[in-house]
Each structure stands twice: as structure tokens, then as C-alpha cells.
Amino acid sequence: MAIDKAKVAIGFVAAGAVTLTFGLISAFTGPAMMRYQVGKNTMIDPKNDMSYTMWKDLPVPFFMSVYFFNVLNPEEVLKGEKPMVEQRGPYVYRKRCQKENITFHPNYTVSYREYRTYYFEPSMSVGNESDLVTVPNMLVLSAAVMMENLPYALRLLISATFKTFKEGPFLTKTVGELMWGYDSKLVDFLNQYLPGMLPSSGKFGLFAEFNNSNTGLFTINTGKDDIRKVHRVDSWNGLTQLSYWRTPQCNMINGTAGQMWPPFMTKESTLPFYSPDACRSLELVYQRTGEMLGIPLYRFVAPRTMFANGSQYEPNQGFCPCRQSGLLNVSSCRHNSPVFISHPHFFNADPVLQDYVLGLNPTEEEHGLFIDIHPLTGVPLNVSIRLQLNLYIKSVSGITETGKISEVVMPLLWFEESGYIDGPVLNTFRTNLVVLPTVMEYMQYLLIALGLVTVVVASVVHHKVKASAHGQVKGTHGYDTREKSLSAAEK
């Protein structure tokens, strides 16, 4: 019986050793296997059902929320007083993005055009598209700044043209008209006699060229040859660099197209991406770790230097001519119109910009932009990109519509593009890219622990069995000796 126990103990020792070996092998090869699986599942490949579908047609709710700055004192502004604005909104639009003309190339890149369509969501909005809002008339006030260096007689002629078409310095229109366009006889006149001066040939609206349009021809890396390059922009509209800015560094097209990033991020990673709407590449930096429904994340935010002027941040010198820090001059890619991009309410900008306009109150929580990324896969879990559109206005002699307007960067509106993973997509993502890798990781530790315990316990049992068997043999041998001694004495 003791021999049987010893064999069983040896069997358990062997089984424990095998389990321990598997555990140690998993510990050494597990991370590499996991990286291989993540890389395989995040490259752009039609065979990867989940990741390819997420990339091709964003399956998550995506919204654009627009906030207008309603001007409360237009008459006083014309007299040189500070503008007083009141934020109106949000007016929320569901955004649908769809990639078309997808073409894979032999050099591990893929090209596509992404079309975007917006649908108004009354239930999520504060107000309706029929709400009236008073804003600066971009056609008049931007044209005045653009033409201030023309001969005085020509400026008088321009002013007379504005009067002919009854265009004043401020206009009151519905939200829908300001967003998607309104009829203007001046626009028709300019398109007829000065073609190319305006961005669109139809109605004039701040987002008229956004709806039912595409963001250009993107060619990006698929990651098949190097997963570290996945989603990185190879070219945009055939260009590998821009021509809007004054230095090669500012004209670089860096990073991804702004929807996904390469996997295996660290806290030292950044999120570079190219934005056709901002006409430049932007880069976000790590702020903190966090969690979303059990999924670990890194939060990346805009650095203070993003829109800093050239005097405060030397690399931005190429984006000048600059004004106060916190403004990006996009006139070079907006038909020379004096348009500036900033963070909403001039967050992270020179405080003097807030002093020039009454009614602004910037906070990081409401006006800072961020992207929450799952660092292992580079997939965004929660996105909030917030930008403000501003118009530089001033009094221009000869153009009487400008009155005595003080020189000011006037906020027109700010918008937030936001989206987050939810529903079935979230569950699939969590199962495939969070739960399974975690289970694999814990399994290797479980195998190591189980193998160690089995080997130790089985070894102890085996030792005790052997010791017991040895004692019994020794006891029997002593008994036989005593019997022989007694027999000898009796004889």
C-alpha cells in the first residue's frame, strides 16, 4: 500500500512539474503572443471583422454639438464698445461617417474618402434650428479687413456694393440658415463676377461645405508590414506635405487621420493627427490614467503650446502672422478670410482675448478637448474635440458698415465633436481585447502557482510515505532479531 502511495506522489510531482513548466513557458511567451494577437487584430485588414468594421463605418454614436455666440449689443459694438455675447445651444447633430472608394495598395497602404452627413437631433438640443441668432456678418466684416489696403476709392465702391445688396455688419438668421446656408444676392453677385472668392458657389453657411462632403483623399498605412505605422497618414490628396504655412515643420502631415492610433501606447506616447478642417497636424499629450466600464484608458489632452503664438513657442512661428497666444490663423487656407481657430471661450489663451469680449467663462471641464485611448490597442473609447471659430474685425475707413468697431477677435461659435464606444461594440471590444488577454495573463500565474503547490505537496507526501515505509521495515527487522535472541537463550 505504501508503494502505491509513493507512486501516486511521484505522479503528482511529475504533473506539477509539467504544469509549472507550462506556466513558465506562458509567462515568457504570453506577452509576445498577446502582442502578436493585438497587432494582428488592429491592422487594417478586411479579414479582421471587428476592427475593420470599426474603422470602415464608425459603429458608435458620434455627435456634433454647436454653440453660437449671440451678440446682445450690435449697435454699441458699432460705436466702439465691447461686444457682449450670450452662448446659445447646444444644437446637436448626429454625425454619420462612411468610408468609400477603399483601395488597398501593394506598399501596405490603403486610400479612401470619408463622407460625413449630419442629422439634427431635437431631443438632444437646447432649442431648434428655427431659433434666431445675431452674429457678425462674415461677408461684410471679413471682406472689410481683407480689402483695407486697397485704394480708398475702391473701398468706397465696396461699401456702396454692400448697401446695394442691403448687407449690414451684423445679421440675424436662424440656426439652420447660419449652419447650412442662406440665400444672399451678394453671394450670387460675387460668385458671378469674382468666382473663387467664396468657398462655396451655392448658399453661404458656416458649415455648408461640411454636410454631404468628404474630408479629402487619405492614404494611410495598414500596419501589415509594421504595426507601429498602422493608421499613420502616408498622403492627403496626394500630398505628403502642405503649402499653407511658412516652415517645413508646420507643413508636415503627421500622425493618423484622427480616428485610431497604433497599439502599445505608453505614458510617453503622444497622439498626433492631421485635421483637414484645421489645415494642419495637431498633437495631444498624456494627462492621466483612468477607466471606462472596466476598460483601462489613457487620457490625452491639448498642450498649452498647441495654439501658442511664435513668440511664446518657437516651432509655431511658421503658423504666423500671429496675434495673441491661443489663436491659430487659418486665413491662408480659408480664402484669406481673417478667421482664427481657438479653444472654446479662449481657454488656454492670452487672458486679454477674454477681456475684449463680455460673456466668456472658460473652464477645462467644459472647454478643454480630450481623447481617452485604450493604450493596448490604440482604439479611442471616448472623444471630445472642441474648437472655436473666431473672426477678426475692425473699423476700416471707406467701408462705413464697419462704423467705429474696435479691433477685436470676435467669437462666432464653438463646436464639440464627441463619441464613445457603447452597446454591442463595447461588449465585443471588452471581450476580445480586454477580458481574454487578462484571462490569458492570469492563467499563466495560476498554472505557475498550481504547479508549484502540486510539486511541493506531492514531494512532502512522497517524503513522508518513504519515511514511513523505511520505519516499518526497520521495525520488522528489529523484531526478527529479538525473536532469534530469545530462541537462543531458551536453548
Side-chain angles (χ1 to χ4, degrees), residues 16-275:
V18 171
T19 305
L20 178 61
T21 303
F22 272 117
L24 290 172
I25 291 172
S26 298
F28 283 109
T29 63
M33 288 177 61
M34 186 173 67
R35 287 179 70 89
Y36 171 76
Q37 285 299 323
V38 169
K40 183 180 175 183
N41 288 324
T42 52
M43 71 175 64
I44 302 173
D45 187 343
K47 296 176 184 176
N48 296 337
D49 287 339
M50 185 186 73
S51 57
Y52 184 73
T53 301
M54 286 180 67
W55 171 78
K56 181 176 178 292
D57 301 312
L58 292 179
V60 299
F62 217 81
F63 300 95
M64 181 174 71
S65 303
V66 182
Y67 300 80
F68 281 92
F69 289 105
N70 182 48
V71 182
L72 299 175
N73 60 339
E75 295 299 325
E76 287 75 11
V77 174
L78 282 173
K79 296 175 184 176
E81 295 184 21
K82 284 185 180 181
M84 182 182 295
V85 297
E86 171 193 50
Q87 181 175 290
R88 303 280 296 275
Y91 299 94
V92 182
Y93 297 83
R94 180 180 291 271
K95 181 181 180 181
R96 182 170 181 261
C97 297
Q98 187 172 10
K99 293 179 176 66
E100 295 185 6
N101 305 327
I102 298 173
T103 307
F104 287 87
H105 306 292
N107 64 342
Y108 307 111
T109 62
V110 58
S111 58
Y112 64 90
R113 290 183 183 274
E114 183 169 270
Y115 289 82
R116 50 192 177 181
T117 314
Y118 297 89
Y119 306 91
F120 185 61
E121 292 283 350
S123 62
M124 301 175 67
S125 304
V126 178
N128 207 292
E129 282 193 308
S130 59
D131 291 352
L132 293 173
V133 180
T134 300
V135 295
N137 188 340
M138 286 188 68
L139 289 172
V140 171
L141 297 181
S142 65
V145 172
M146 291 164 65
M147 299 175 181
E148 66 172 328
N149 294 321
L150 293 179
Y152 185 76
L154 201 51
R155 278 180 269 149
L156 287 174
L157 181 61
I158 291 166
S159 183
T161 304
F162 290 149
K163 290 178 177 62
T164 301
F165 292 104
K166 298 179 180 179
E167 294 281 356
F170 291 88
L171 52 80
T172 301
K173 294 287 184 183
T174 66
V175 168
E177 288 175 319
L178 291 172
M179 286 289 297
W180 312 118
Y182 57 88
D183 291 315
S184 167
K185 292 181 180 179
L186 176 60
V187 171
D188 295 338
F189 174 80
L190 292 175
N191 283 328
Q192 183 176 352
Y193 294 101
L194 295 170
M197 180 179 175
L198 298 176
S200 61
S201 57
K203 296 181 177 182
F204 183 79
L206 296 170
F207 286 84
E209 55 183 358
F210 273 49
N211 209 2
N212 300 312
S213 66
N214 69 79
T215 53
L217 180 65
F218 272 96
T219 301
I220 66 174
N221 284 276
T222 62
K224 280 192 174 183
D225 61 330
D226 185 351
I227 197 60
R228 293 171 297 180
K229 297 194 298 184
V230 67
H231 300 295
R232 188 183 299 171
V233 177
D234 183 70
S235 66
W236 175 74
N237 284 340
L239 303 172
T240 54
Q241 61 180 16
L242 306 170
S243 58
Y244 301 130
W245 313 108
R246 297 167 54 189
T247 62
Q249 182 180 353
C250 292
N251 277 318
M252 290 174 67
I253 298 177
N254 295 325
T256 73
Q259 292 177 342
M260 293 183 186
W261 282 265
F264 315 123
M265 290 189 169
T266 67
K267 294 176 182 178
E268 285 70 42
S269 300
T270 60
L271 292 192
F273 63 98
Y274 172 65
S275 169

